[in-house]
Amino acid sequence: MKVLVATEKPFAAVAVDGIRQVIEEAGYTLDLLEKYTDRSQLLTAVADADGLIIRSDVVDAEVLDAAKNLKIVVRAGAGYDNVDLAAATAHGVCVENTPGQNSNAVAELVFGMAVMAFRNMYNGTSGAELKDKTLGIHAFGQVGRNVARIARGFGMDVSALDPYCPDSVMEEADVKPVHSVEELYRDNRVVSLHIPATPETRKSVGYHLITLLPKGGLLINTARKEVIDEEGLAKALRERPDIKYVADIRPDSADALLAEFPGRVFFTPKKMGAQTSEANINAGIAAAHQVVAFLRDGINRFQVNK
Ligand code: 3PG
């Protein structure tokens, strides 16, 4: 059996070593395709793979057609919007993710970017502190929960909105449950986005919600660029010079936004929320164990295309 690790954005070397150990101890072979620049490289590499470990790499019908032996794809990470689930099901391929494994890394970056924005992008002028400010967490999944934990250390007043999460889970974490999206944006100076990219959430955060933010509002996006309505964002930033937007995913209109709103928007050059050795080790090795558990014992606990 062959397991291919295909990562356009590679894991830290130490994580690859750990993945290799798990795969080889199971008696399988590991193939590594890192930093590929052309899709054809992935199509060739996947041809004889029984298992596939990816990050944000796109796995669509074309890749699945090329992967004649493929039985399982594990997205080493949380969001699986890069995998065509229907096509995978049609090809009889199990798709899994590794929930929670990289969530602390993403949550820490939220605060790295929040401090930067509150200190005026480190331009030397007087900024503000996070202490005693309100924070609204938009979706209380694994990343959102880590954000809440860290926010307590900063002394922030935390609320969260998540129709899929019981109020009691939030309350146990000392987080105030909020039941309308308008309330979340209206009542929190900082809003941190953690919703997945789905047809329902696509462009769901735009002018209407962003302009509800209180004075000095900050929107932090470490989720997906697709959830933002970029035209609405630009209009909101134009009308409300007190608002800032910082994101770990470069929007399509990044250059225009940076030119029009200098000092008020910031984008990492490449999505790096999960780019820590710890997150790479956690997610990568979890993915390797999941591939082995599936190929060897048919265990599909984390399957997302059931
Ligand atoms: C995730 O969904 O797990 C994060 O967005 C991280 O994505 P990455 O593995 O491409 O860095």
Side-chain angles (χ1 to χ4, degrees):
M1 294 264 197
K2 209 169 233 192
V3 178
L4 173 68
V5 174
T7 47
E8 183 268 320
K9 182 176 62 186
F11 291 119
V14 56
V16 177
D17 292 343
I19 295 171
R20 186 183 298 284
Q21 197 181 337
V22 173
I23 300 297
E24 291 182 351
E25 271 174 14
Y28 303 153
T29 309
L30 181 89
D31 269 3
L32 195 56
L33 175 68
E34 290 183 321
K35 290 191 193 169
Y36 56 94
T37 47
D38 198 287
R39 216 174 136 67
S40 62
Q41 296 169 269
L42 175 60
L43 297 177
T44 306
V46 88
D48 59 350
D50 297 280
L52 175 62
I53 295 175
I54 52 162
R55 296 185 65 180
S56 289
D57 308 77
V58 172
V59 172
D60 55 14
E62 192 185 15
V63 174
L64 293 157
D65 281 341
K68 299 283 178 235
N69 297 341
L70 196 64
K71 296 154 191 73
I72 177 161
V73 178
V74 181
R75 189 280 190 247
Y80 44 86
D81 46 305
N82 48 321
V83 181
D84 184 335
L85 296 188
T89 305
H91 283 76
V93 172
C94 169
V95 181
E96 299 189 356
N97 66 347
T98 64
Q101 300 290 351
N102 59 15
S103 46
N104 180 65
V106 180
E108 287 192 9
L109 186 66
V110 168
F111 289 91
M113 295 206 297
V115 170
M116 180 181 65
F118 265 48
R119 300 298 179 102
N120 301 327
M121 311 299 181
Y122 303 135
N123 72 358
T125 62
S126 284
E129 299 175 25
L130 294 177
K131 185 167 182 285
D132 296 331
K133 303 300 184 297
T134 46
L135 168 68
I137 301 178
H138 194 163
F140 204 61
Q142 302 275 358
V143 182
R145 291 169 204 204
N146 276 284
V147 167
R149 172 181 53 78
I150 300 170
R152 276 206 301 275
F154 275 96
M156 299 186 84
D157 176 359
V158 188
S159 306
L161 170 83
D162 193 329
Y164 303 100
C165 176
D167 286 1
S168 57
V169 172
M170 295 182 192
E171 282 156 359
E172 272 163 34
D174 208 8
V175 170
K176 181 181 150 222
V178 164
H179 299 107
S180 99
V181 70
E182 279 80 14
E183 193 184 339
L184 188 82
Y185 282 73
R186 197 193 55 221
D187 293 350
N188 289 288
R189 169 99 180 255
V190 182
V191 171
S192 188
L193 271 173
H194 303 290
I195 48 178
T198 64
E200 293 74 44
T201 62
R202 203 182 135 71
K203 294 194 181 191
S204 63
V205 178
Y207 179 81
H208 167 64
L209 291 179
I210 297 169
T211 50
L212 288 177
L213 286 170
K215 193 168 166 36
L218 168 65
L219 179 61
I220 305 175
N221 183 4
T222 55
R224 290 291 182 271
K225 69 175 181 185
E226 288 80 5
V227 304
I228 298 287
D229 169 8
E230 295 186 21
E231 272 177 33
L233 167 70
K235 189 165 179 257
L237 289 168
R238 208 166 286 135
E239 285 181 20
R240 288 278 308 274
D242 57 304
I243 286 178
K244 293 192 177 108
Y245 176 67
V246 292
D248 184 32
I249 325 90
R250 218 178 145 75
D252 295 333
S253 53
D255 291 341
L257 291 169
L258 286 162
E260 187 174 354
F261 308 109
R264 294 176 51 210
V265 292
F266 170 84
F267 315 118
T268 52
K270 199 163 198 164
K271 187 166 62 137
M272 56 171 291
Q275 276 301 60
T276 64
S277 327
E278 293 90 337
N280 290 172
I281 291 168
N282 292 344
I285 294 179
H289 281 299
Q290 288 173 222
V291 167
V292 170
F294 184 80
L295 292 177
R296 198 180 51 199
D297 306 316
I299 295 171
N300 62 345
R301 182 170 159 218
F302 295 100
Q303 185 164 359
V304 293
N305 64 331
K306 281 191 220 184

